[in-house]
Every structure is written in structure tokens, then in C-alpha cells.
């Protein structure tokens, strides 16, 4: 499966963005999916995950209450609604297919797509 993230951009602190992750080549309907982010000079970190049937969602403490992950299996797409953005949210955001294990561990994912850059200014 190929993944393409989009929707990034530059916003001021307190603003909102909605990221999309469109999948092609295979249906992602049967896979849990996640968003990760990587800030300049830092390691990639887990942001949010959603189960294949949209039954459960998981968030990193740093984004809980501000970000919402969702999916539309009919469109083969996963979303990340980001509200109340902070400068520390500045990063390249990627989506990935979960293969099992712990959600926050990058080793448990494959099919990493091209990321989209989010820049939040103060």
C-alpha cells in the first residue's frame, strides 16, 4: 500500500489544520492506522492511532484533547484534525500502517508515506 499525506502548511499558534492520508494500491480497511511526527533534530514520535473499525483511538499525551484522528474506509483515507496548535507541534507528519505490537513503536509499522510539513509560528 502507498500512503500520501497532505494538508500541512503554516499557521499561527492557536490555529487549526486537517491532515489527510490517502492510501492506494490496497484497502486499509482491515488495518489500524497511525500518525507520527518528526520535529527538526528530533526522533519520530507517535501522535495518534485508530483501530481498523474506528472503534478505538489512542493519543500521545502531548496532543490529547487537541488532535482527533478519524478515518473513512470508503475513501481509503485517514485524517488528523489538529486544533489549538502550538509551536512545538511543528514537524513533518506521516501516516503508517500498524502491523501489531505497541502503537508508539515505529518498528511496528510499515508502508510509511511521504510526510507533510506543519509549521506553527508563535
Amino acid at each position: 500500500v502507498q500512503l500520501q499525506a497532505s494538508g500541512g502548511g503554516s499557521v499561527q499558534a492557536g490555529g487549526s489544520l486537517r491532515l489527510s492520508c490517502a492510501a492506494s494500491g490496497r484497502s486499509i480497511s482491515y488495518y489500524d492506522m497511525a500518525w507520527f511526527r518528526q520535529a527538526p533534530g528530533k526522533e519520530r514520535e507517535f501522535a495518534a492511532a485508530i483501530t481498523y473499525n474506528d472503534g478505538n483511538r489512542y493519543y500521545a499525551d502531548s496532543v490529547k484533547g487537541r488532535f482527533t484522528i478519524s478515518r473513512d474506509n470508503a475513501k481509503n483515507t485517514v485524517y488528523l484534525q489538529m486544533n489549538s496548535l502550538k509551536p512545538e507541534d511543528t514537524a513533518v507528519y506521516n501516516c503508517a500502517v500498524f502491523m501489531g505490537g505497541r502503537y508508539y513503536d515505529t518498528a511496528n509499522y510499515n508502508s510509511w508515506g511521504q510526510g507533510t510539513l506543519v509549521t506553527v509560528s508563535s
Side-chain angles (χ1 to χ4, degrees):
V1 59
Q2 291 77 47
L3 301 174
Q4 179 66 57
S6 62
S10 297
V11 296
Q12 289 193 326
S16 299
L17 282 173
R18 188 193 193 206
L19 306 183
S20 298
C21 171
S24 60
R26 180 190 294 183
S27 172
I28 59 170
S29 299
Y30 301 107
Y31 295 98
D32 296 359
M33 299 290 294
W35 284 95
F36 282 75
R37 64 185 185 181
Q38 186 167 19
K42 295 187 177 181
E43 292 188 352
R44 182 177 285 170
E45 66 173 5
F46 170 81
I50 186 168
T51 54
Y52 72 98
N53 60 355
D54 201 10
N56 290 292
R57 304 172 184 187
Y58 306 90
Y59 298 95
D61 288 342
S62 57
V63 308
K64 197 174 295 182
R66 300 187 299 120
F67 290 11
T68 302
I69 188 171
S70 62
R71 66 191 299 159
D72 185 338
N73 286 337
K75 295 183 178 180
N76 223 24
T77 301
V78 179
Y79 304 97
L80 187 67
Q81 177 66 44
M82 306 186 297
N83 298 328
S84 302
L85 283 162
K86 305 175 181 179
E88 50 264 44
D89 294 319
T90 295
V92 174
Y93 286 72
N94 281 89
C95 55
V97 178
F98 181 64
M99 303 307 293
R102 298 177 180 176
Y103 282 121
Y104 58 83
D105 189 343
T106 58
N108 296 326
Y109 292 83
N110 68 10
S111 302
W112 293 93
Q114 282 198 324
T116 186
L117 176 63
V118 172
T119 304
V120 184
S121 57
S122 57

